[in-house]
Amino acid sequence: MILSIKNLHANIGEKEILKGVSLDIREGEIHAIMGPNGAGKSTLSAVLTGNPAYTVTQGEVLFNGKDLLKMSPEDRAREGLFLCFQYPVEIPGVSMVNFMRTAVNEKRKYQGQKELTASEFLKLMREKKELVEIDDRLTKRAVNEGFSGGEKKRNEIFQMAMLEPSLSILDEADSGLDIDALRIVAEGVNKLHNDKNASIVITHYQRLLDYIVPDFVHILYEGKIVKTGDKKLALTLEQKGYDWIKDELV
Amino acid sequence: MNPLIINKEYTETIYLFNEAKADLHIVQQEASTLNLFVLHLTDLSCMQHIHIQQEGEHCRTNIYGLAVLKGKQEYLCDTLLEHQKENGTSTLIFKYLLFDEAKGEFVGRLKVQPNAQHTDASQTNRNIVLSDKAKMRTMPQLEIYADDVRCSHGATTGALDNEAIFYMQQRGLQKDLARQLLLQAFAEDIFEKMPIQQQEQARNLFTQRI
């Protein structure tokens, strides 16, 4: 088991957003989480990654058997949790190369591995750049600075390839992407997927799931997972909209 | 104090690295260039006055400054840049980092005289305040008496970007390291304008200071 969430409740300020989420994710699985705006989808990814804007009030999360909620955001990352941000942040003045080299080596140190030398690092970077088809142009600049929406998302996938997470969360990875950019992002995710890791794909629309095929689809509604199914559930949602779920719950 | 004169068509590069006691008055003659780098990276509290006059046509003035203030330190930098003749250009970027209970003040006076048509001047003051008790005051003052000129100014004061810090933490960087990278990036904007030989010295002074 990679991730086990039990009865997770979380607030932003005084407002409860997650109202008892439970979810188990095993090696090799892709889980889609769908739901209307405001259901708590992005809150879930923020809470799992340790965003300080949210407070967990109840529940338990085990990540590879360890208590995730007790860890700092950086330790969660070093343990193998990766968030592909909905809105990747621009960091002027911090070069992509230095940023990635620091990130890769911080993770290696944490896991008791030797740091990569400059040439080992550059070799790794070349391999991963080819794998996710990212331009030299992007990795030579400051982190996300002046990147288009598509370039930012591609850069997230590149970082994911560099850090080889055991669990990656893609938060609305398709927002703001045209169909070509979407395909490249999805291909990257598919190439990185294997039977040892897992992904959570958070999305409002079914569209992305044509390219990243999930094993499970969960519907998050008003802070709870109200329905779980296979990929067909996403198609039903696409046809009937979210009102159907609301009606069914009454 | 007699002003320092930069002769016609000469270029002068001046470094004031932790020498804030020295007030500066410089007169530029025709087609001369001044590059001025000011670093205030010591505990000294003081006022610093910098007065530049472009007395001839086609002068170029570049001023880049960085101050890191800590404890109860106070530092005021008062700049006056006078464009007196035609076709002068100037760029000024001044940055402050304020910790603890430090107080910083920046005065950016830009004067474009009636004869100074086709002046192109820009002034930027960016500040990061790292504690609730630190204070920054910034006063851009533009006096423009010519009508065919291009002058811009901008001043911002804010905290470190928490979203950027979280983003870096999510990639496995410790919070302190993330903060440090952001501070370095903030300063790098100034350092990269320097000749290579001085960049290293400036970076070292900065790293020791923060």
Side-chain angles (χ1 to χ4, degrees), chain B residues 118-210:
Chain B
H118 310 294
T119 289
D120 189 343
S122 84
Q123 187 193 96
T124 311
N125 174 225
R126 302 244 176 279
N127 313 302
I128 293 183
V129 178
L130 293 143
S131 120
D132 292 343
K133 288 183 178 158
K135 283 201 175 71
M136 182 68 206
R137 215 164 115 90
T138 173
M139 286 179 286
Q141 295 175 1
L142 278 67
E143 291 179 46
I144 300 167
Y145 302 106
D147 52 12
D148 188 10
V149 299
R150 185 154 52 175
C151 294
S152 64
H153 73 98
T156 56
T157 298
L160 266 189
D161 182 353
N162 280 327
E163 281 184 42
I165 292 174
F166 182 70
Y167 184 82
M168 291 194 261
Q169 283 182 282
Q170 211 302 301
R171 299 297 185 250
L173 276 63
Q174 230 158 48
K175 196 173 183 179
D176 278 351
L177 180 58
R179 283 169 61 97
Q180 213 174 343
L181 285 182
L182 287 183
L183 295 181
Q184 272 163 4
F186 180 75
E188 198 54 39
D189 210 21
I190 300 296
F191 302 152
E192 71 186 14
K193 307 292 191 306
M194 298 178 181
I196 298 287
Q197 304 94 295
Q198 276 72 27
Q199 285 189 12
E200 203 56 31
Q201 192 196 350
R203 281 194 195 99
N204 287 339
L205 287 172
F206 178 74
T207 311
Q208 284 163 22
R209 181 67 178 157
I210 63 165

Side-chain angles (χ1 to χ4, degrees), chain A residues 74 77-78 81 83 103 156 159, chain B residues 166-167 169-172 185:
Chain A
E74 54 269 33
R78 294 158 175 176
L81 181 64
L83 172 63
E156 294 289 285
Q159 294 179 49
Chain B
F166 182 70
Y167 184 82
Q169 283 182 282
Q170 211 302 301
R171 299 297 185 250

Side-chain angles (χ1 to χ4, degrees), chain A residues 65-76:
Chain A
K66 294 179 186 166
D67 185 349
L68 184 76
L69 300 176
K70 284 222 173 85
M71 295 179 204
S72 65
E74 54 269 33
D75 280 350
R76 298 177 197 209

Side-chain angles (χ1 to χ4, degrees), chain A residues 32-206:
Chain A
I33 295 181
M34 301 183 72
N37 288 329
K41 301 190 299 291
S42 288
T43 300
L44 182 61
S45 68
V47 167
L48 291 177
T49 49
N51 189 319
Y54 299 83
T55 330
V56 173
T57 53
Q58 232 189 100
E60 183 189 70
V61 182
L62 291 179
F63 181 47
N64 293 319
K66 294 179 186 166
D67 185 349
L68 184 76
L69 300 176
K70 284 222 173 85
M71 295 179 204
S72 65
E74 54 269 33
D75 280 350
R76 298 177 197 209
R78 294 158 175 176
E79 287 280 348
L81 181 64
F82 184 91
L83 172 63
C84 178
F85 280 73
Q86 182 175 6
Y87 303 108
V89 186
E90 297 196 17
I91 314 177
V94 176
S95 80
M96 258 316 286
V97 178
N98 276 339
F99 180 52
M100 267 300 99
R101 195 171 165 199
T102 311
V104 167
N105 280 331
E106 287 294 310
K107 184 173 179 181
R108 292 181 68 90
K109 272 193 282 184
Y110 180 83
Q111 296 182 336
Q113 293 168 302
K114 248 177 63 189
E115 289 181 48
L116 294 182
T117 63
S119 72
E120 286 168 335
F121 173 77
L122 290 174
K123 185 165 167 273
L124 178 71
M125 198 147 133
R126 246 193 329 270
E127 278 171 30
K128 301 298 185 184
K129 268 198 297 211
E130 276 170 30
L131 184 72
V132 299
E133 295 169 48
I134 189 172
D135 225 291
D136 264 348
R137 217 162 37 83
L138 297 186
T139 53
K140 284 192 174 138
R141 279 151 65 179
V143 181
N144 293 322
E145 192 185 23
F147 288 21
S148 71
E151 287 170 341
K152 281 181 186 167
K153 291 293 162 77
R154 213 183 293 188
N155 191 26
E156 294 289 285
I157 302 301
F158 166 67
Q159 294 179 49
M160 186 173 143
M162 290 294 290
L163 293 166
E164 298 178 341
S166 59
L167 178 67
S168 45
I169 304 172
L170 292 102
D171 189 4
E172 306 278 3
D174 52 339
S175 69
L177 294 193
D178 61 33
I179 204 75
D180 291 326
L182 179 76
R183 194 175 296 135
I184 289 167
V185 166
E187 271 172 18
V189 173
N190 288 331
K191 276 183 199 166
L192 299 172
H193 186 64
N194 60 41
D195 58 8
K196 298 272 189 301
N197 62 25
S199 299
I200 299 176
V201 181
I202 293 174
T203 181
H204 187 79
Y205 300 105
Q206 197 269 336

Side-chain angles (χ1 to χ4, degrees), chain A residues 12-28:
Chain A
I12 183 157
E14 293 294 305
K15 195 174 187 293
E16 187 172 50
I17 311 279
L18 297 184
K19 300 171 182 172
V21 173
S22 296
L23 180 65
D24 285 339
I25 296 177
R26 289 172 189 79
E27 287 78 357

